[in-house]
Amino acid sequence: MKTFELLNFELKNKPSEDFTPYYFRAQGLEKNLSAKPCTARADGIYSLFSIPTPIILKNEWVAGNLHFLFTNIENFFLDHAKGICRMFPERSFETNKDHYAPNYRHLIAVGLPGLIDEIHHSLKLHENDPEKCETLAAMGRTLCGFKKMIENHAAAAEACKDLEGYDHEKLDFIINNCNAIVKGKPQSFAEGLQLVWFCHNAFLMEGRYAMALGRMDQYLYPLYRSDIESGRITDEVVVELLENVFIRLQDDIVNICIGGQNKYGECEVNPLSRCILRAVGNCNVPGPNLSLRYTLNTPDDFLDDCLKTIGTGLGYPALMNDDVNIAALKRFGYEDDDVYDYCMVGCIENFLSGKQPPWSDGRFDTPRYFDYIFNRGISSTNYSIGLDTGDVSDITSMERFMEVLEAQLDYGVSEYCAGFYKRNNSINQKFYPEPFLSCFCDDCIGKGLDINDGGSKYPSVHGAALMGIGTMTDSLAAIEKVVFTDKTVTLSQLGEALKCNFEGYEDLRMTLLAAPKYGNNDDFADKYAVWFIDYLSSLFDKYKTRDGGGIYVVAASNTDNIGAGREINATPDGRLRGEPLSDAASPTYGRDKRGATSTVNSVTKPDYTKVACGTVVNQKFSPAMFTDAKRGKLLALIKTYFKKGGQEMQINATSREILIDAMGHPENYQNLVVRVSGFSAFYVTLSKSVQIDILNRTQQE
Amino acid sequence: MINLSNIQHFSVGDGDGIRTTVFLKGCNLRCPWCHNPENLTADPVCLHYKNLGKTETVGKRVSVEDIIPELLEDKDFYETSGGGVTISGGEPMLQAEEIFTLASTLKIHGISVFVDTAGSVPYDFFKVTNPVLDGYLFDFKSADSEKYKKIGGNLTLVKDNMARLMADGIPFKVRIPLIPDFNTDPDSVHAMCENLCEVGISKVDLIPFHRLGTSKYEAMGQSYPYKDTPPLTDEELRCIKSVYEEYFSVKTE
């Protein structure tokens, strides 16, 4: 059994006590409860990092796990600690807490002592500004806690030498790496990886989620190369170290980005990219959300290796079109150096690593605006209110219908943004400082400002996730065809049918279903997808975040298209009330019947350089497409997709038979991983409705 | 006018690269294992899928110009993958004149065209299409002239056509459907290998039997004679393949 497999067993065997990071945090907070927010919080982070005694697992080459945050203190102490922590509430996803890619490139370059030096330097610079000094001192305190945590790990590893079952080679390895990274900048690949992993772990200890590891193949490459060139390390060892880290990424969405181009257009795939791909493939767990920044000059053999990994059933790397993403980000005026170093956070969200506050996004359910049109501004499912755009019998042309719909969406977007502002601004930024996180964002240290309070180089951005491009496109095509071209029914009659959820209107529903559909390379339908992206991105372009950043549009849905569909009335495409909306940027499942090439021809028509966050187009292929004989054809399909301007493709390699069998016999499929629109999950853990959704996505071939 | 059954995009089993397959109606053979029963007759056929509540009529006569735009849609994919258009059936060679017109037009657009044939037609038909095609996918089903006769074919004609294609320098790929109880027993396999060697063949593709066509027969109100025949096991396939490998370079679908 390989080391990472043994480690996996150790990780699963969690301590039986309570998970109590707050208990350790409270001890620091209590030192001075009425201190300035950044000082008090820094004290909390210091104690969280420095007090608990680390646990070294027997199969760790790279130390750092959360097992040491479990305690068996009496409940009244825990309740007291909880009470203390409640006085210092945390940010949430909507107030920019996590989904962040730290500036690991800089951390590797200067090391922990270098970062601490920068704080001292900035303190001198700002010595006449007490508020900045306080902020900087707080950052420094958290780094001292972090340093103490690393020293504690070295000591814990030393103590393990007396215990049975520990391998001294591994313990010495850990001890040496810990000692090195507290003293200076990392000098070897193993030291660099250990430092980054401690940092990631520290963010987890703080309660953050979906923290990205970013472009590991770039920021760790100089260390990797010098180790390889001097013969200190082999690829086999590198892969084993990476496995030792990746196997722990199981209950999280940790984006890791490989490949991509620099500003000279050179492909940056390197031997470390290959090691990362191998390690992720070997671990075969859904947490490391591997993303490939695809460029035209990405080597074919590397792409083939990517397809092989996808074909194991793992589903990643997700394939991202670098040219489209870069063009999309450039629209926001970022500096080239920062744009070309972008990575992804969470599932697919484009992010400038270590240069902007953490990500946030929300759901914008486009198909619900039909209901307001047909129902005089009142939803027939949940009594939400849109615009009253008059009686539909007054709408006598498709052009007029589009005007009315655009008015509804315009109102809807303003309502969405108002809601976002309310939630995003619900906290006083001064009262919610993030001293540790700020240390890993340019240029918080230099400016002496918190990451969310002007410290970051760029302002915060927000993503508005557009639900239902397929549902919307199909609905508009059906209205144009059935109401205005063939004149089979009037808009009022269609409205009646929708209100009745097509009960008594089965023939009309069949007629609507027979109208042209998105995904078949038919412009009659596809033109509405083009309009969808153009119009909605132009609406969101009018808005900014609280600190002046862009509101990106997102054409991805995770599985939210199911939840959104549940709340939305029947739609003119023939979809029944409560059924899922079309998923992500894909055509409605089962309706792209003309094969994968036609799907690609359709979905590459919208201009995705207007979708700065990113899109997800889900495509499922039978395992046969991943055989040596067929993989080249799949690769050609993907290359053509990107050449035509596609932004992202998420590929699943699972046969329907397997999925159906897994629904009935989950016990036999515990390791079956599927990608659900942007992230991977164990199939058997998904609810039945999600399983059916996955099943229904067209299986191309 | 061309007697068209169906156009299938993203075909990955009908020749090099990503192809669009044009299925034509009408066949001079009656292989009981056929997986495209709707293409046997020249007349339109009605398929009624009970479980889906769906009825479709297959077969319409269209002009070549009418289908060209659809075949050009995937040109980018042909270029990236080294693919093109494959004309299949039924027996497409029964419409050799129409194939000539279709392939000539596609050739102008720089698109590769293959024809998937069972080859049991007069060589004169091939003479019509040879100048405009990039090659054939040529089925070879048996080395037993009686068996060929049973399915309506002519072994001598098939072998003769292969030899003449070779002589004329026209590329073709031999494809062998592996049909249980028809051509998979050791004697049949050896005989087929010998036959192909005589013609001078060096490469073959093996196409294992499957019964995915069962629902089509049901939709046509017929019973598929092979509906209870299981696919070859991996072991059976390996055995057959190893024999072919003694003679040829072999690819399995």
Side-chain angles (χ1 to χ4, degrees):
Chain A
M1 206 177 264
K2 295 178 88 173
T3 312
F4 76 85
E5 290 168 310
L6 296 167
L7 178 58
N8 196 21
F9 281 117
E10 278 190 279
L11 290 163
K12 291 247 156 77
N13 190 15
K14 291 201 177 100
S16 54
E17 295 93 352
D18 297 316
F19 185 63
T20 59
Y22 57 86
Y23 173 72
F24 300 105
R25 194 194 282 262
Q27 294 180 50
L29 291 168
E30 268 183 322
K31 286 182 74 179
N32 188 353
L33 285 169
S34 55
K36 283 271 175 62
C38 63
T39 309
R41 282 172 190 268
D43 282 339
I45 293 167
Y46 182 88
S47 60
L48 170 65
F49 289 170
S50 61
I51 291 179
T53 306
I55 290 174
I56 307 293
L57 301 175
K58 295 187 178 78
N59 294 287
E60 280 182 329
W61 284 110
V62 181
N65 57 70
L66 298 182
H67 286 196
F68 68 144
L69 297 180
F70 289 77
T71 45
N72 58 353
I73 309 289
E74 278 144 302
N75 274 343
F76 57 86
F77 283 121
L78 294 180
D79 289 343
H80 173 71
K82 276 181 201 164
I84 296 289
C85 287
R86 268 198 293 273
M87 293 183 223
F88 298 86
E90 296 291 319
R91 288 171 182 271
S92 65
F93 176 57
E94 289 199 303
T95 49
N96 312 95
K97 176 178 186 177
D98 42 33
H99 286 67
Y100 178 74
N103 193 344
Y104 287 132
R105 191 189 284 272
H106 185 65
L107 176 67
I108 294 291
V110 304
L112 181 53
L115 223 46
I116 294 171
D117 283 349
E118 285 177 9
I119 290 175
H120 290 312
H121 182 74
S122 188
L123 270 169
K124 267 187 211 133
L125 217 65
H126 299 292
E127 61 188 351
N128 297 323
D129 187 332
E131 202 179 325
K132 287 189 172 179
C133 286
E134 202 136 12
T135 301
L136 285 163
M139 293 182 199
R141 180 126 177 91
T142 64
L143 288 186
C144 291
F146 181 59
K147 189 176 162 198
K148 188 80 177 52
M149 181 177 91
I150 300 174
E151 288 164 352
N152 290 348
H153 276 83
E158 195 63 53
C160 285
K161 286 187 175 173
D162 300 332
L163 300 178
E164 213 171 303
Y166 280 89
D167 168 8
H168 283 222
E169 188 194 350
K170 290 194 179 73
L171 294 173
D172 283 330
F173 189 78
I174 290 171
I175 294 164
N176 291 337
N177 289 333
C178 289
N179 288 340
I181 57 180
V182 294
K183 285 198 193 92
K185 56 184 183 188
Q187 304 287 347
S188 69
F189 175 79
E191 288 172 20
L193 184 64
Q194 177 68 81
L195 179 58
V196 167
W197 180 245
F198 273 137
C199 200
H200 183 84
N201 228 42
F203 291 130
L204 299 184
M205 291 165 72
E206 282 193 287
R208 297 183 210 278
Y209 169 75
M211 297 294 286
L213 286 169
R215 302 185 74 195
M216 291 186 93
D217 64 340
Q218 303 305 312
Y219 62 74
L220 286 173
Y221 186 61
L223 295 172
Y224 164 89
R225 195 179 54 195
S226 72
D227 278 3
I228 290 281
E229 280 171 2
S230 66
R232 280 195 297 268
I233 208 168
T234 62
D235 277 355
E236 297 313 309
V237 175
V238 169
V239 169
E240 185 167 356
L241 292 174
L242 289 167
E243 289 167 351
N244 212 268
V245 167
F246 295 159
I247 193 67
R248 308 173 208 212
L249 309 177
Q250 295 197 29
D251 310 316
D252 199 351
I253 305 168
V254 179
N255 212 304
I256 300 167
C257 181
I258 52 176
Q261 63 193 306
N262 62 19
K263 62 178 170 181
Y264 308 108
E266 293 159 347
C267 174
E268 298 190 299
V269 169
N270 59 39
L272 181 54
S273 320
R274 293 169 192 267
C275 291
I276 291 170
L277 179 67
R278 270 174 63 195
V280 166
N282 291 348
C283 286
N284 208 48
V285 291
N289 210 43
L290 190 64
S291 309
L292 171 72
R293 280 177 50 182
Y294 167 89
T295 61
L296 274 175
N297 50 3
T298 304
D300 272 352
D301 66 323
F302 183 64
L303 292 171
D304 192 50
D305 286 343
C306 288
L307 285 184
K308 281 185 200 158
T309 308
I310 292 170
T312 60
L314 191 60
Y316 34 60
L319 309 173
M320 315 285 184
N321 189 349
D322 224 24
D323 287 335
V324 171
N325 281 338
I326 286 170
L329 289 170
K330 280 186 173 176
R331 284 176 187 267
F332 290 86
Y334 306 122
E335 285 171 27
D336 270 8
D337 280 337
D338 299 329
V339 168
Y340 283 89
D341 201 30
Y342 81 99
C343 64
M344 291 87 191
V345 297
C347 304
I348 51 122
E349 298 90 309
N350 290 330
F351 197 84
L352 305 179
S353 3
K355 301 275 186 335
Q356 58 193 172
W359 177 260
S360 74
D361 58 49
R363 197 179 93 192
F364 186 71
D365 302 338
T366 56
R368 76 181 163 113
Y369 294 90
F370 286 123
D371 215 12
Y372 305 133
I373 294 176
F374 284 106
N375 212 24
R376 299 296 300 258
I378 302 166
S379 156
S380 52
T381 51
N382 60 8
Y383 300 104
S384 63
I385 306 283
L387 289 182
D388 177 2
T389 38
D391 196 300
V392 287
S393 62
D394 295 333
I395 302 175
T396 52
S397 68
M398 194 62 203
E399 291 70 30
R400 179 64 196 143
F401 188 86
M402 293 304 289
E403 283 169 17
V404 168
L405 177 58
E406 290 185 353
Q408 293 283 358
L409 290 169
D410 200 341
Y411 175 77
V413 168
S414 70
E415 188 189 37
Y416 174 94
C417 289
F420 162 64
Y421 292 144
K422 175 193 152 234
R423 293 185 302 274
N424 188 248
N425 272 326
S426 64
I427 59 168
N428 177 347
Q429 302 297 343
K430 300 261 181 256
F431 198 72
Y432 287 74
E434 298 281 10
F436 184 65
L437 189 69
S438 297
C439 297
F440 304 92
C441 179
D442 284 1
D443 184 27
C444 300
I445 293 178
K447 291 186 195 167
L449 293 173
D450 189 79
I451 184 169
N452 282 307
D453 196 22
S456 63
K457 177 167 182 179
Y458 297 115
S460 65
V461 294
H462 175 79
L466 310 179
M467 296 290 129
I469 186 171
T471 305
M472 201 75 170
T473 300
D474 291 352
S475 294
L476 290 170
I479 291 171
E480 183 185 343
K481 176 88 169 93
V482 176
V483 177
F484 293 112
T485 307
D486 296 350
K487 301 192 193 319
T488 311
V489 287
T490 64
L491 266 188
S492 308
Q493 289 167 319
L494 174 58
E496 274 310 305
L498 295 173
K499 206 176 283 179
C500 305
N501 195 24
F502 293 112
E503 269 168 49
Y505 292 88
E506 284 77 15
D507 288 349
L508 172 58
R509 180 164 176 255
M510 286 303 140
T511 309
L512 294 165
L513 286 170
K517 297 283 178 272
Y518 189 42
N520 299 289
N521 195 22
D522 183 347
D523 277 331
F524 191 92
D526 298 351
K527 63 176 185 274
Y528 291 111
V530 176
W531 163 84
F532 180 93
I533 295 294
D534 282 347
Y535 188 68
L536 284 160
S537 64
S538 76
L539 289 183
F540 281 102
D541 274 348
K542 296 183 202 161
Y543 297 88
K544 295 268 177 238
T545 60
R546 62 180 153 81
D547 47 348
I551 297 198
Y552 297 170
V553 295
V554 189
S557 61
N558 285 342
T559 58
D560 286 349
N561 60 310
I562 299 170
R566 236 176 254 138
E567 299 168 14
I568 293 176
N569 192 26
T571 38
D573 60 335
R575 177 191 144 274
L576 296 173
R577 183 180 300 155
E579 283 187 348
L581 303 179
S582 61
D583 127 272
S586 323
T588 304
Y589 55 67
R591 289 182 182 172
D592 50 340
K593 292 180 174 159
R594 241 161 132 253
T597 52
S598 295
T599 305
V600 165
N601 279 328
S602 279
V603 300
T604 51
K605 285 175 191 172
D607 180 358
Y608 295 105
T609 68
K610 294 174 176 168
V611 186
C613 168
T615 64
V616 169
V617 171
N618 284 299
Q619 287 285 288
K620 192 161 62 193
F621 296 92
S622 70
M625 277 310 291
F626 295 86
T627 55
D628 288 345
K630 299 276 172 73
R631 223 167 37 244
K633 300 190 184 197
L634 183 53
L635 182 56
L637 178 82
I638 294 163
K639 284 184 160 186
T640 314
Y641 169 68
F642 286 142
K643 203 168 100 187
K644 293 169 91 73
Q647 190 171 14
E648 193 266 9
M649 194 179 271
Q650 206 94 51
I651 297 175
N652 257 315
T654 314
S655 71
R656 272 184 82 79
E657 290 70 16
I658 286 176
L659 292 174
I660 292 166
D661 198 40
M663 288 172 79
H665 305 98
E667 68 279 9
N668 298 334
Y669 294 94
Q670 295 292 328
N671 61 347
L672 181 61
V673 176
V674 290
R675 278 195 93 84
V676 189
S677 240
F679 66 95
S680 289
F682 287 115
Y683 181 79
V684 294
T685 64
L686 301 172
S687 68
K688 208 147 204 128
S689 59
V690 178
Q691 288 180 330
I692 290 170
D693 189 43
I694 290 165
L695 201 58
N696 283 338
R697 277 178 201 163
T698 316
Q699 181 164 325
Q700 302 285 11
E701 197 201 356
Chain B
M1 298 290 264
I2 199 162
N3 190 357
L4 177 73
S5 165
N6 179 35
I7 295 178
Q8 181 185 298
H9 294 259
F10 194 54
S11 299
V12 293
D14 295 328
D16 302 335
I18 294 171
R19 307 190 81 83
T20 302
T21 307
V22 181
F23 290 96
L24 303 187
K25 269 188 67 69
C27 192
N28 58 335
L29 303 188
R30 287 294 179 272
C31 311
W33 61 83
C34 181
H35 61 227
N36 287 333
E38 77 281 17
N39 294 341
L40 292 176
T41 60
D43 294 330
V45 166
C46 185
L47 283 87
H48 176 65
Y49 292 94
K50 272 193 201 124
N51 53 335
L52 304 175
K54 196 180 79 177
T55 302
E56 57 175 357
T57 303
V58 172
K60 56 181 173 185
R61 290 184 191 269
V62 294
S63 74
V64 166
E65 301 88 80
D66 285 348
I67 61 168
I68 291 288
E70 182 167 353
L71 302 181
L72 295 179
E73 281 178 26
D74 289 355
K75 196 162 182 263
D76 293 332
F77 300 91
Y78 308 153
E79 280 168 12
T80 322
S81 67
V85 168
T86 297
I87 305 170
S88 182
E91 175 49 70
M93 290 304 287
L94 299 177
Q95 301 185 53
E97 295 287 348
E98 288 78 5
I99 291 177
F100 176 82
T101 320
L102 179 59
S104 314
T105 315
L106 291 172
K107 218 177 162 69
I108 295 168
H109 292 278
I111 293 172
S112 136
V113 186
F114 289 161
V115 165
D116 183 1
T117 177
S120 197
V121 295
Y123 193 70
D124 284 348
F125 291 24
F126 284 91
K127 279 186 183 163
V128 174
T129 52
N130 281 348
V132 289
L133 294 180
D134 293 82
Y136 296 90
L137 308 174
F138 198 115
D139 268 21
F140 186 59
K141 301 175 200 284
S142 173
D144 179 334
S145 54
E146 281 309 306
K147 281 185 179 171
Y148 249 109
K149 208 177 279 173
K150 251 189 227 163
I151 58 171
N154 179 337
L155 175 64
T156 317
L157 181 60
V158 168
K159 277 162 51 178
D160 199 38
N161 283 339
M162 278 196 260
R164 294 185 66 174
L165 284 175
M166 292 268 264
D168 289 345
I170 306 293
F172 66 98
K173 211 183 244 180
V174 173
R175 309 220 297 178
I176 298 166
L178 301 179
I179 310 299
D181 300 329
F182 184 79
N183 63 7
T184 53
D185 58 290
D187 288 348
S188 298
V189 172
H190 277 287
M192 286 173 76
C193 288
E194 296 292 345
N195 269 227
L196 289 169
C197 274
E198 284 165 27
V199 187
I201 301 298
S202 61
K203 280 195 276 190
V204 298
D205 284 4
L206 301 181
I207 319 282
F209 163 79
H210 62 76
R211 48 181 166 173
L212 301 178
T214 308
S215 58
K216 285 194 203 170
Y217 282 89
E218 282 165 7
M220 289 167 65
Q222 299 174 8
S223 176
Y224 184 29
Y226 277 76
K227 71 176 192 309
D228 296 322
T229 308
L232 295 168
T233 62
D234 287 350
E235 185 49 37
E236 286 169 321
L237 185 57
R238 223 183 348 260
C239 266
I240 299 165
K241 193 177 174 191
S242 69
V243 178
Y244 277 101
E245 277 170 343
E246 288 171 27
Y247 297 81
F248 313 105
S249 133
V250 180
K251 266 202 226 157
T252 317
E253 185 46 31

